[in-house]
Amino acid sequence: MTTATGGGTTPPRTTARTTPPKGFLRAGPRVAIPVRRVSVVAAIVLLVLIVVAAVATLSMGRLGVDLADLPAALTGDAEGKNRFVMNRLRGPRLTVALGTGAALGLSGALFQSVTRNPLGSPDVIGLAAGAGAGAAISALMFPDTVPVAVGALVGAVLAMALVYVSTGTGFRNPARLVVAGIGVAAIGAAITQYVVYAMERDKASVLTAYVNGSLAARSWSDATTIWLVLLVVAPLTALIARRLDIGEMGDDIAEGLGSEPKRTKSAAVVLAIVLSAAAVSVAGPVAFIALTAPQIAKRITRVSGPHLLLSALTGSLLLVAADLCAQQLPLFDDLPVGIYTMAIGGTYLGYLLVREWRRGVL
Amino acid sequence: MATTTAAPPGGAGTTRTGAARPALLLLLGLAALALALCASVMFGSRSTSFGEVIDVLTGTADPHITTIIESRYPRTALGVLAGLCLAVAGTLMQGVSRNPLAEPGLLGINAGASASIVAATAWFGASGSTDTMWWALPGALIAGVLVHVIGTAGSGTSVVRLVLAGAVLSAVLMAFIQAVTLSKPEVFDSYRYWVVGALGGRDFDVFWSVLPFAAVGFLLALVLGPGLNTLALGDATAVSLGSHPGRIRGGGLFAATLLSAAATAAVGPIAFVGLAVPHVVRALVGVDFRLQILFSALLGPTLLLLADVVGRVVMRPTELMVGVVTAFIGAPALLIAVRRMRGTT
């Protein structure tokens, strides 16, 4: 990150007030990630906050690892209780939370950049409801043969396809997108509610928790899944970051500048779907991270662009913080993390909408 | 001749007066409702014939058949009541907000009623339909007001805004509902049976306890019909005609909330009846709200009863709840409507 021109410790040029200094983190002729000074600062702050939240996640509460023992526990030297907590309980859970949050944030940033619409995100287009319905059906009809996560994956993809087809204009028109998303979500919710009704109470309760997005009892294999997907997909998003940035100026300008907006968009949508599908398969449909993380990232830096890295970091921070609440708040016992993100994200979305409306944007 | 330009379907020679078409439609509507009523008492896990229904009504059937058919009376009555409430509430909301998507479910009113009921069951020991009714009402009212405050903040109006505000409020209330139900197993148990939206398994007590609310709401709707007609001409014209747009709007929303709270408390949240019926009715009878309300009151029950019958026969021997059936019929209809949306951004 320090190799960035115009970033790091270089003082801003005199024109900085009107046009923020803009440089690129280059790797070969095709890769050029836009890097701005404010973004670098924001990224560092977000990283610090993530570390703080992560340390709190590992050390707080009755089962927490004492701060003094934490370095030893992290390097694998711990014994007894600490070893168990690190390897079985909070270690995998924290790792999954970090990866899932990043994947959701990145996915939301890609979606919003492509649709040029803050509402063009997996939450609004019925992905969660579709994933829930898929999980519910697989739990009811193939309880031992099809893993719930696979059902969720299939449901999520089907829901998105249905919205895409029924808008007739792809994901571009926000009004159609929202209404179609609501329609698809209604079908998904009806299926899920029926299954929850038809099952035994204990199984129904477990299913409801999963359908809300849960990080409880995650294993290292979940962590491996999400991080592998991130490791493959994140570099690919970096490849198209600059062309996405240009694409936000509009298709005509982008075409004039020699980038191919249609191909860029298709690639971005595919990557976004892979990311959110991976997130759903390890943690269930966690609400609103994909929607809010890019918006928060945008508001921190106040410059245009898709903010891929910052959205990913913000997503990580949001999910780890929400999971910390889920584990430590004494209000309710051990709720699925998705309920916290739903409450917080919903409130934030409401605030956002009112603000946009006051400015007459939407 | 005028018959060639304005003939209603199947109505040769009835085009001379404006009242002929509505009268004919009224007869058709009543016939459809009668058929739906019949189907509702005939079909189930043990189906009966039309002759047997007549026998029961005239008191000449064998006791076994009588028991079977009479056991279907409460759900039929509830279907009529809930269908009427939802359809008339949808018509009122669409008229008041001039928003073709206004519906109790989409505008967060169902979520408000649900959250209120869940809270009452969890902390105030509410149980039984009468208690539930009293708790559904304030929740529905508060949610209705909140959605309108959020949705109309700032300048300008848009179809999407209210729906979005409804979605936001629903999300937050849903988080609350899930939090409470997941941490209290007994609340979870009653909630999951209630939330699917079912007509079966309830007795006449439920019907009687919500009837007064439904009746007040429906009467208010009938009274407001002419006022809604003037409102449709625009606020300025309405004022010059001596109407009070603010009062009509407030009254309409109150009646709609009363009606949807009654339906929700009685049979659980049922989506899309309040959305779809007003559209069909408008296509049939035109813009006059007095006729729209009347026909919604006929078509809503017909639709809900038929959906319930479908749910009873498609998955025999088990049942599909009516809320699931309406979602499966209504959502595709909404998706088709989206494809036809024009000019809205």
Side-chain angles (χ1 to χ4, degrees):
Chain A
M1 202 120 320
T2 43
T3 55
T5 53
T9 52
T10 323
R13 275 160 257 169
T14 43
T15 53
R17 254 165 15 111
T18 46
T19 48
K22 186 170 166 181
F24 294 99
L25 180 66
R26 288 183 186 277
R30 291 184 64 82
V31 183
I33 307 165
V35 176
R36 302 172 182 93
R37 189 164 179 263
V38 62
S39 307
V40 174
V41 174
I44 291 168
V45 171
L46 282 170
L47 273 174
V48 170
L49 288 175
I50 289 172
V51 170
V52 169
V55 167
T57 300
L58 292 176
S59 61
M60 279 177 73
R62 195 166 50 85
L63 283 169
V65 179
D66 278 345
L67 278 180
D69 298 338
L70 201 53
L74 282 172
T75 51
D77 288 345
E79 292 299 322
K81 185 202 90 174
N82 285 355
R83 189 183 174 82
F84 181 73
V85 168
M86 277 306 298
N87 288 345
R88 290 295 177 80
L89 296 179
R90 294 191 186 168
R93 182 172 182 157
L94 174 67
T95 317
V96 172
L98 286 167
T100 307
L104 287 172
L106 200 51
S107 163
L110 290 171
F111 259 115
Q112 293 178 15
S113 174
V114 168
T115 57
R116 292 163 69 196
N117 170 5
L119 295 171
S121 90
D123 297 294
V124 178
I125 59 176
L127 182 130
I137 287 176
S138 65
L140 183 74
M141 300 178 74
F142 320 102
D144 301 314
T145 47
V146 177
V148 174
V150 173
L153 211 58
V154 174
V157 173
L158 277 181
M160 275 190 288
L162 196 54
V163 170
Y164 185 85
V165 170
S166 54
T167 50
T169 54
F171 292 132
R172 273 189 301 279
N173 184 322
R176 293 184 180 201
L177 194 69
V178 169
V179 180
I182 288 170
V184 170
I187 303 180
I191 296 175
T192 311
Q193 280 165 1
Y194 173 72
V195 173
V196 166
Y197 165 91
M199 278 178 141
E200 291 165 45
R201 184 171 88 183
D202 294 344
K203 284 185 184 168
S205 181
V206 171
L207 178 67
T208 304
Y210 176 81
V211 158
N212 277 302
S214 169
L215 289 170
R218 294 302 104 165
S219 66
W220 285 114
S221 76
D222 294 316
T224 316
T225 306
I226 191 70
W227 278 102
L228 264 183
V229 171
L230 267 180
L231 279 181
V232 174
V233 175
L236 294 176
T237 63
L239 271 175
I240 58 170
R242 188 160 75 107
R243 283 191 287 161
L244 271 180
D245 204 8
I246 295 169
E248 291 203 347
M249 291 186 265
D251 284 1
D252 295 343
I253 297 179
E255 215 142 349
L257 288 172
S259 81
E260 297 156 86
K262 285 215 176 82
R263 274 181 59 193
T264 309
K265 281 184 180 181
S266 311
V269 167
V270 169
L271 293 177
I273 288 175
V274 171
L275 284 168
S276 48
V280 161
S281 76
V282 299
V286 182
F288 283 127
I289 301 279
L291 187 92
T292 49
Q295 293 297 312
I296 294 174
K298 199 160 233 150
R299 275 171 174 71
I300 296 173
T301 54
R302 294 182 179 284
V303 286
S304 70
H307 303 295
L308 298 180
L309 177 69
L310 286 185
S311 301
L313 289 175
T314 312
S316 264
L317 177 63
L318 286 177
L319 193 54
V320 172
D323 194 43
L324 188 63
C325 292
Q327 291 181 51
Q328 302 298 343
L329 278 191
L331 210 55
F332 295 102
D333 264 355
D334 209 22
L335 281 184
V337 67
I339 289 175
Y340 289 91
T341 62
M342 203 188 331
I344 301 164
T347 313
Y348 179 69
L349 179 63
Y351 157 78
L352 213 60
L353 290 176
V354 171
R355 234 182 69 141
E356 303 276 294
W357 291 336
R358 278 191 202 289
R359 290 190 296 166
V361 176
L362 199 80
Chain B
M1 269 181 70
T3 43
T4 53
T5 53
T14 58
T15 51
R16 274 170 298 131
T17 62
R21 186 182 151 94
L24 182 69
L25 284 172
L26 189 66
L27 279 178
L28 284 176
L30 283 170
L33 180 59
L35 276 180
L37 284 170
C38 253
S40 179
V41 292
M42 272 168 63
F43 295 107
S45 51
R46 161 56 168 109
S47 290
T48 58
S49 73
F50 184 68
E52 285 170 320
V53 175
I54 299 294
D55 286 349
V56 170
L57 290 176
T58 54
T60 55
D62 88 69
H64 178 61
I65 301 289
T66 308
T67 316
I68 290 176
I69 288 187
E70 285 186 346
S71 72
R72 292 177 190 147
Y73 285 172
R75 74 185 299 169
T76 305
L78 273 174
V80 172
L81 189 72
L84 181 146
C85 286
L86 291 169
V88 175
T91 302
L92 285 174
M93 294 179 97
Q94 291 179 16
V96 164
S97 63
R98 281 195 237 149
N99 178 343
L101 287 176
E103 197 238 11
L106 295 185
L107 293 197
I109 289 182
N110 282 350
S114 308
S116 186
I117 287 174
V118 163
T121 325
W123 292 304
F124 304 106
S127 63
S129 50
T130 322
D131 281 6
T132 314
M133 179 69 233
W134 283 111
W135 283 104
L137 205 58
L141 267 175
I142 294 170
V145 170
L146 263 179
V147 165
H148 274 267
V149 169
I150 304 173
T152 54
S155 59
T157 50
S158 119
V159 172
V160 182
R161 271 195 203 181
L162 278 180
V163 177
L164 263 181
V168 166
L169 188 71
S170 295
V172 176
L173 289 176
M174 200 44 86
F176 166 79
I177 291 168
Q178 302 285 12
V180 175
T181 52
L182 278 178
S183 47
K184 291 183 188 285
E186 67 289 351
V187 182
F188 176 73
D189 226 14
S190 66
Y191 174 74
R192 74 190 171 121
Y193 289 124
W194 177 79
V195 76
V196 283
L199 300 179
R202 292 166 162 87
D203 53 26
F204 268 114
D205 288 351
V206 179
F207 178 82
W208 292 120
S209 63
V210 300
L211 185 64
F213 297 95
V216 172
F218 187 51
L219 285 177
L220 193 54
L222 289 177
V223 171
L224 286 169
L228 286 168
N229 280 340
T230 60
L231 206 61
L233 301 171
D235 280 11
T237 317
V239 171
S240 68
L241 288 172
S243 298
H244 301 272
R247 274 188 226 167
I248 295 167
R249 223 171 255 138
L253 279 181
F254 179 71
T257 308
L258 212 54
L259 287 166
S260 36
T264 307
V267 300
I270 291 179
F272 291 113
V273 175
L275 185 72
V277 171
H279 284 278
V280 177
V281 166
R282 252 196 312 278
L284 285 175
V285 303
V287 292
D288 188 339
F289 271 100
R290 292 168 301 179
L291 286 178
Q292 281 188 33
I293 289 167
L294 194 65
F295 278 92
S296 298
L298 274 180
L299 204 59
T302 309
L303 186 73
L304 199 60
L305 286 179
L306 290 180
D308 189 41
V309 171
V310 168
R312 273 185 261 171
V313 294
V314 285
M315 279 182 67
R316 264 190 240 177
T318 58
E319 250 182 46
L320 212 51
M321 275 66 59
V322 67
V324 181
V325 179
T326 58
F328 265 93
I329 301 170
L334 183 67
L335 295 183
I336 292 167
V338 170
R339 281 199 79 112
R340 296 219 203 124
M341 277 169 77
R342 275 173 224 279
T344 40
T345 46

